[in-house]
Amino acid sequence: MKKIIVQKFGGTSVADTDKIKNVAKIVIREKQNGNDVVVVVSAMGHTTDHLVKMAKALSPNPSAREMDMLLSTGEGVSIALLAMAIQAEGYDAVSFNAMQVGIMTENIHTKARILDIKTDKLRKNLDAGKIIVVAGFQGVTEDGEITTLGRGGSDTSAVALAAALNAERCDIYTDVEGVYTTDPRVVPKASRLDEVSYDEMLELAHAGANVLHPRSVETAKQFAVPLRVRSSFKLDNLGTLILGVDKMEIFKPVAGVAADLQQARIVVCDVPDRPGIAAGLFGKLAKENISVDMIIQSYARKISNTNDIAFTVTLADLPKTLTVLESLKAETGASDIKVDDNIAKVSIVGAGMIDRPGIASTMFETLAELNINIKMISTSEIKISCLVDKSDAHKAVEALHKVFGLECDEIADVKGDLPDV
Ligand code: ADP
Ligand code: ASP
Ligand code: MG
């Protein structure tokens, strides 16, 4: 049986017809290597952003179902164009949307999880020698409703397809030459990583390194899918391999630094200090599918017997969160709900920080030297995150990247020219 390679191309890689021709050549080259090829594509260029803008111009809070109907159209355009470009080169190709394939998701609009992928149609078409082009980012529920997987979700479509088809590899082609020690657009002297572990990549992705959708890394780890991030434009560079930690040697305590600017902090003030308050609050948010990230509960004040609960959510979930909190205000007896959406989460990540003291204090000292105030802190075994003012985020990333020895002398190429394939 032939090996199956899943390739994914992001928005920049298919931004115009010349770039789509470039993608067609990369796809065909993989087919010429004797492999079966399934290609996942995102919407062209900034299409999804434009669609969001139009929706927001018509309604401040558009319905999630209609957002999915709207946003899923972007990928519909690119799959057909790429299939045509491949056919024009004399190769047999067919495009499918998520409904045609059967990319089944839960019934949650704008951030659905993939539950199952039907493979019969894919296998039949691969057996017939075709190159298959699948729309990323979209799914379908059991009742035939269109869903999307969350911004950046095409990566997850690709990895989930690779897992379902037991593919040899999943290659994520993008506009940078791999995974860097931090966003090379923010720190041009960021270093490209040859390898990074699933766990570190997962933390980096959750911390705002949007080069990979967090759920794609989660899925790759769960199904042990070999995952590579590489450039659509610099084909001589094999990019970054994401793999299990047992296969890696760890040299540095910190592998990468990331910032997430899409966060909001909420403080629920003066709630009674008794059992059940946090459960009631976060239980209600969970029911509305709102993910909470950092949480801090203050010490109870002796006289009033109350405390404050502070937590962060994504900016996208902020309006829904405030609606839920308003409805709970009377129940919890909170005196006030304060919102700060001018914040960012800055994180350092590294499997090498386990059992190595001094990493956290170096991070805090570095921020203090820049007079950056830390508003919240959270940690995991391999990550430390600090909430800071949004205006301090890039300065913080730059300084942390330097202090943990991650800089290199070369300037990263974020968007290369079209190569000769
Ligand atoms: P695509 O459209 O191909 O999915 P994305 O814009 O989603 O591309 O992801 C690639 C971008 O991710 C890069 O251009 C870069 O600015 C950003 N990025 C953020 N953090 C990192 C990182 N640690 N390594 C590489 N790229 C990163
Ligand atoms: N087109 C979608 C987005 O812009 C999905 C993706 O690109 O992965 O978020
Ligand atoms: Mg992306």
Side-chain angles (χ1 to χ4, degrees):
M1 225 165 66
K2 279 187 181 172
K3 288 177 183 156
I4 300 174
I5 306 291
V6 176
Q7 302 180 320
K8 179 257 167 180
F9 295 88
T12 319
S13 307
V14 291
D16 55 40
T17 47
D18 276 343
K19 296 212 168 82
I20 291 177
K21 276 187 199 164
N22 172 53
V23 167
K25 286 185 180 154
I26 297 174
V27 171
I28 288 167
R29 203 171 67 161
E30 195 63 75
K31 180 81 180 159
Q32 285 168 341
N33 287 341
N35 297 312
D36 276 338
V37 188
V38 176
V39 193
V40 174
V41 274
S42 297
M44 292 170 72
H46 297 290
T47 302
T48 314
D49 292 333
H50 290 312
L51 294 172
V52 171
K53 223 170 169 183
M54 281 197 280
K56 291 270 154 80
L58 295 172
S59 158
N61 209 357
S63 104
R65 180 191 184 275
E66 298 312 324
M67 278 312 277
D68 279 352
M69 289 298 289
L70 178 69
L71 298 194
S72 60
T73 61
E75 273 66 15
V77 173
S78 36
I79 51 169
L81 290 176
L82 178 58
M84 287 174 198
I86 297 169
Q87 288 165 358
E89 294 287 326
Y91 284 77
D92 204 358
V94 59
S95 70
F96 294 128
N97 63 27
M99 203 182 244
Q100 289 169 304
V101 172
I103 301 182
M104 311 307 297
T105 72
E106 49 185 19
N107 194 2
I108 295 175
H109 287 292
T110 74
K111 49 177 172 183
R113 279 174 175 270
I114 295 175
L115 300 174
D116 184 35
I117 296 184
K118 314 256 185 259
T119 54
D120 8 330
K121 192 168 194 154
L122 297 174
R123 290 211 185 271
K124 216 165 88 189
N125 280 277
L126 288 177
D127 290 345
K130 295 184 195 201
I131 294 169
I132 301 179
V133 186
V134 180
F137 180 51
Q138 47 179 256
V140 63
T141 69
E142 256 195 343
D143 332 331
E145 286 293 309
I146 300 288
T147 53
T148 61
L149 311 180
R151 296 301 308 270
S154 298
D155 301 329
T156 300
S157 311
V159 176
L161 275 161
L165 290 166
N166 208 2
E168 182 74 9
R169 214 174 58 235
C170 182
D171 288 335
I172 307 282
Y173 285 85
T174 183
D175 58 4
V176 278
E177 290 177 50
V179 178
Y180 283 73
T181 45
T182 194
D183 188 339
R185 283 178 208 275
V186 176
V187 182
K189 284 188 171 178
S191 326
R192 190 182 55 76
L193 300 165
D194 284 331
E195 293 180 341
V196 61
S197 70
Y198 289 125
D199 289 330
E200 287 171 315
M201 192 62 236
L202 192 56
E203 291 281 18
L204 280 172
H206 275 300
N210 57 0
V211 63
L212 281 176
H213 191 238
R215 222 170 298 138
S216 70
V217 187
E218 212 176 287
T219 310
K221 182 183 175 190
Q222 189 182 352
F223 296 96
V225 176
L227 187 60
R228 199 178 266 289
V229 175
R230 56 183 299 185
S231 167
S232 295
F233 308 107
K234 287 272 177 73
L235 297 172
D236 49 349
N237 189 334
L238 283 182
T240 303
L241 190 61
I242 295 122
L243 73 177
V245 74
D246 52 332
K247 300 198 178 78
M248 286 180 60
E249 279 189 69
I250 296 165
F251 301 108
K252 287 185 178 167
V254 174
V257 183
D260 184 350
L261 277 63
Q262 300 297 315
Q263 296 267 313
R265 178 176 67 157
I266 294 162
V267 189
V268 186
C269 305
D270 300 315
V271 290
D273 184 39
R274 62 173 153 78
I277 292 291
L281 182 68
F282 294 113
K284 195 75 190 278
L285 292 173
K287 254 194 206 128
E288 297 294 326
N289 286 310
I290 297 167
S291 302
V292 172
D293 185 7
M294 296 169 148
I295 302 177
I296 288 184
Q297 179 172 311
S298 65
Y299 267 129
R301 282 178 281 271
K302 271 193 186 139
I303 299 172
S304 59
N305 204 23
T306 60
N307 56 34
D308 299 335
I309 299 180
F311 60 92
T312 58
V313 295
T314 62
L315 280 178
D317 278 341
L318 183 58
K320 209 157 84 175
T321 308
L322 292 178
T323 310
V324 172
L325 292 179
E326 272 313 315
S327 72
L328 280 176
K329 212 170 158 185
E331 212 175 289
T332 56
S335 68
D336 198 5
I337 291 163
K338 290 187 185 144
V339 179
D340 185 356
D341 56 8
N342 231 333
I343 50 144
K345 182 176 69 171
V346 175
S347 309
I348 56 172
V349 173
M353 69 169 76
I354 299 176
D355 292 333
R356 238 205 253 201
I359 304 295
S361 63
T362 304
M363 180 176 193
F364 304 151
E365 274 160 24
T366 306
L367 298 179
E369 269 162 27
L370 291 169
N371 211 14
I372 294 175
N373 192 32
I374 302 173
K375 299 181 165 196
M376 280 172 113
I377 299 169
S378 76
T379 61
S380 79
E381 226 183 5
I382 63 164
K383 182 200 70 180
I384 306 168
S385 300
C386 294
L387 209 63
V388 301
D389 277 338
K390 202 173 254 177
S391 56
D392 287 331
H394 287 169
K395 209 164 55 177
V397 167
E398 236 170 305
L400 293 168
H401 189 262
K402 195 165 190 176
V403 82
F404 288 109
L406 301 175
E407 272 191 359
C408 75
D409 293 336
E410 263 173 62
I411 303 287
D413 186 356
V414 280
K415 237 179 276 169
D417 296 315
L418 285 181
D420 291 326
V421 180

